[in-house]
Each structure stands twice: as structure tokens, then as C-alpha cells.
Amino acid sequence: MRTQYLAATQEAIAHAAKLIQDGQVVGFPTETVYGLGANALSDSAVRAIFAAKERPADNPLIVHIAEFEEMAPLCEINDRARRLADAFWPGPLTMILPKKAIVPQVVTAGLDSVAVRMPSHPVARALIRQSGLPIAAPSANRSGRPSPTLAQHVLEDMDGRIPLILDGGACDVGVESTVVSLLGEVATVLRPGGITPEMIAAVLGQAMVADSVMRPLKEGEAAPSPGMKHKHYAPRAHMTLYEGKREHVAARICREYDENGGHALILAGTGNLPLYGSRCCYDLGPDAASAAHRLFAALRTADERQVLRVYSEAFPEEGVGLAVMNRMARAAGFDIVRV
Ligand code: AMP
Ligand code: MG
């Protein structure tokens, strides 16, 4: 299959919407990461997403809508969902609610619940509106690879596998949406993202964070969010995270880097770059929000340079730092060193 790569003009979006109506899969930008979208109500279209991504069939997809009214046919809405939608939609928040029959089993990987999100990116919204359909879309990477934050990343992973990629520039947030389950008594964050647990608690009065967010699942443990049990976001190189005082972290990373003969990439905050001298660094920016924005591109850069090791500074697990650390810890296979 030839993959068309088009700037996301009105014309290109109209073409993409037609492809979606035809049951095809399209790469498109959202404010979180690039998505791989298809008609969420079509069994075969959704299967084509899983095939293009080589995604395990037990990992459910998020259904994207453009207007709040489009939610009711898909799931059982409750009062908390309404309040969160009022506060954060359109935006990087996905809600898990009991599914209705119209949503095919293949979307939810057989679960009774469905994940729904209203993205804010104008291209994503136009695509959903013009197709007239809810769009099921996971991140547009091949399974196990870092999520794409540029259309170029989608091309790297999907060339020849899908008919069209819409280029809408760099994604704003850079990590996937916050996933919050509204199935239980208390709203529970299953995957941290741009909307923080603190922000959710401010609206609902309380919110929990699933404890598997910052630790690996135990042998045989059921994953509250199936995506958590799969290896994720990993660069090909072995990655290690270092936690502690910044001078100590930098000294330790420099030592490891030099002992490994320099075939490595260091991920560091802008303010810490001088601590690494002339060693090869990727600038994660001045704060956790910019680290979220740059992390996946950093991991792809490590792959391109074919380094053997990635050494990264850790971030405080607060605000959007929790999302950064959740992705980093998984990319590192939970190889986290306290110094
Ligand atoms: P991605 O499509 O790559 O953004 O991943 C979607 C995330 O949402 C994965 O971690 C899924 O496991 C999670 N997810 C989707 N649907 C559900 C659901 N019904 N219950 C729990 N987690 C879900
Ligand atoms: Mg993904």
C-alpha cells in the first residue's frame, strides 16, 4: 500500500474523512500524540487499526468524539462525567464508562466499559465532524515503540501500512491523554497525562491514582487498564532513570556514560546541561511540561543514533511530572536508580 503524506489542509481533511467512512485507517494529529483513526462503529475498520499497529487484541482503544452529544449513544454517562467534560473537554482527558451495545467488542477488547475522549486539536475535530462518525484511535506508533509526536514519526512506523497521514505539526502536550475510570465510587486515574489527578480532584472533590501507575504489575496481577501490562514506549537501547539531588545524579550519569565509552544519550533538564560537559545530551526543557512535550522525540532520537544506553534524570512525580515519570519508568523497564 502506498502511504500518502499530506499537510492537513481542508482538502486533505475532507479526503481523510472519506477514507474513514470507507473503513480505512488514517494517521492524524491530536493535542496529545498522533492517532491512528478508523470508524469506531465498524468491526473490520477497527481490526485494521490493530493490524497496522501490531497491537495485542487485549488492549482496548479510545473512542474520539467532537461534541458532547455524541457521547450518549456510546456509554452510560453519569454526573461526574458531565462535570469532568465541562471542565476539561475538549482536551487531553479520557473517561472510562459502561459501554453501550453499539460499540463493537473489538474496540473495548471485550470489556464492558469504553474509553471516550473529545480532543481539542482542530484537525482531529474537523476529521471527526466531517466523517460523521466516532473515531477509534490509539497512538499511531507500532506497538512497543515510542508514541509519535510528529507526523514524520508516524511515517517512520506506518509507511506502507495505511493509506494516509495528515501532517498537523508537533503535538502540544506530547504524552497520551489522562485515562480516568468513572466505574467505581471514586474517580481513579489509570494513566496519568496532561490533566493531572490534582485537577480532577479539584472538580470532583476527590480522585485516586491507581498504584500500578508507578510500579510494574506483579506476576499474574490483573491490570486495571490493559495497556499497562504491555511493554511500552521503549527505545531499543537500555534506559536507566536516576533519582536524587541533581549534582549527584549528574555525577553518577557522567561516570556511567564514560565507562560505557560514550555510546549513550543523556536526557536532562535545560538547567542541568552544563553538568554534563561535552557529553551527548538531549535537552528535555526547563520543566515537566516541556519534558512531556519532548520525551518521545528524545527516545526516537536515541534509536536513530543507535546508542546502546539512555541515561535520564528523573522528575518529581507531581503535576504533569507524574505522566512523564510513568512513561519514563516504562521506557526504562522500571530500571530506576536512587543516588
Ligand atoms: P492508546 O490507545 O495507546 O492511547 O492507549 C489507550 C489506553 O487506554 C490503554 O492504556 C488502554 O488500556 C486504556 N483503555 C482503553 N479502554 C479502556 C477500558 N475500557 N478500561 C480501561 N482502560 C482502557
Ligand atoms: Mg499507545
Side-chain angles (χ1 to χ4, degrees):
M1 180 186 300
R2 199 176 86 77
T3 300
Q4 268 190 297
Y5 184 96
L6 300 176
T9 58
Q10 292 298 343
E11 228 183 338
I13 295 170
H15 176 44
K18 281 221 180 62
L19 289 173
I20 300 268
Q21 289 169 343
D22 282 351
Q24 309 243 38
V25 179
V26 170
F28 69 100
T30 82
E31 72 277 23
T32 58
V33 300
Y34 273 76
L36 208 54
N39 177 0
L41 305 181
S42 159
D43 203 87
S44 61
V46 172
R47 276 179 210 287
I49 299 176
F50 280 90
K53 248 186 98 83
E54 297 172 35
R55 183 175 176 106
D58 63 352
N59 195 1
L61 306 183
I62 296 170
V63 180
H64 295 74
I65 58 175
E67 303 297 335
F68 187 76
E69 297 65 50
E70 294 160 12
M71 193 178 187
L74 304 172
C75 59
E76 308 287 346
I77 303 175
N78 58 34
D79 180 53
R80 287 175 298 166
R82 268 184 216 101
R83 279 151 65 200
L84 289 179
D86 268 350
F88 302 120
W89 277 2
L93 180 73
T94 296
M95 301 189 220
I96 310 283
L97 289 158
K99 92 185 245 319
K100 288 190 178 166
I102 194 173
V103 180
Q105 294 281 335
V106 59
V107 172
T108 63
L111 296 172
D112 298 334
S113 58
V114 62
V116 183
R117 176 166 105 83
M118 187 195 295
S120 65
H121 196 291
V123 173
R125 295 177 63 75
L127 182 62
I128 299 164
R129 266 204 220 100
Q130 289 185 35
S131 67
L133 292 164
I135 294 185
S139 50
N141 52 294
R142 250 181 291 143
S143 219
R145 294 261 293 146
S147 293
T149 52
L150 291 171
Q152 187 60 37
H153 298 159
V154 182
L155 188 65
E156 279 167 27
D157 281 17
M158 291 296 152
D159 197 13
R161 292 168 176 252
I162 58 175
L164 175 63
I165 297 167
L166 290 179
D167 184 352
C171 298
D172 197 29
V173 181
V175 291
E176 304 86 343
S177 59
T178 303
V179 176
V180 64
S181 170
L182 300 176
L183 299 175
E185 286 279 290
V186 180
T188 305
V189 173
L190 306 181
R191 177 176 76 181
I195 304 295
T196 65
E198 295 88 336
M199 291 160 78
I200 294 171
V203 171
L204 297 183
Q206 55 178 341
M208 298 195 315
V209 178
D211 69 340
S212 47
V213 160
M214 278 315 299
R215 63 165 175 79
L217 287 172
K218 295 178 192 121
E219 192 67 32
E221 179 182 358
S225 175
M228 283 182 185
K229 70 173 181 253
H230 296 288
K231 190 173 184 221
H232 242 101
Y233 318 116
R236 293 182 189 103
H238 182 89
M239 174 162 161
T240 308
L241 269 173
Y242 295 87
E243 247 171 16
K245 269 190 72 179
R246 62 187 210 114
E247 292 80 7
H248 298 167
V249 164
R252 175 66 180 272
I253 289 179
C254 287
R255 202 175 78 219
E256 301 273 350
Y257 182 103
D258 295 346
E259 281 171 4
N260 267 289
H263 300 295
L265 184 65
I266 298 166
L267 313 190
T270 308
N272 298 334
L273 292 176
L275 301 173
Y276 298 99
S278 60
R279 293 173 188 83
C280 208
C281 289
Y282 196 102
D283 182 0
L284 289 179
D287 52 27
S290 60
H293 183 72
R294 297 182 193 184
L295 175 63
F296 289 133
L299 299 180
R300 282 180 181 260
T301 299
D303 280 352
E304 271 159 34
R305 297 200 191 154
Q306 301 186 319
V307 299
L308 302 177
R309 303 291 310 251
V310 176
Y311 306 112
S312 182
E313 298 175 349
F315 281 76
E317 290 169 19
E318 54 196 35
V320 76
L322 182 67
V324 172
M325 283 298 285
N326 168 271
R327 306 310 190 277
M328 280 188 169
R330 279 167 174 74
F334 291 93
D335 183 9
I336 305 174
V337 177
R338 281 221 116 266
V339 288

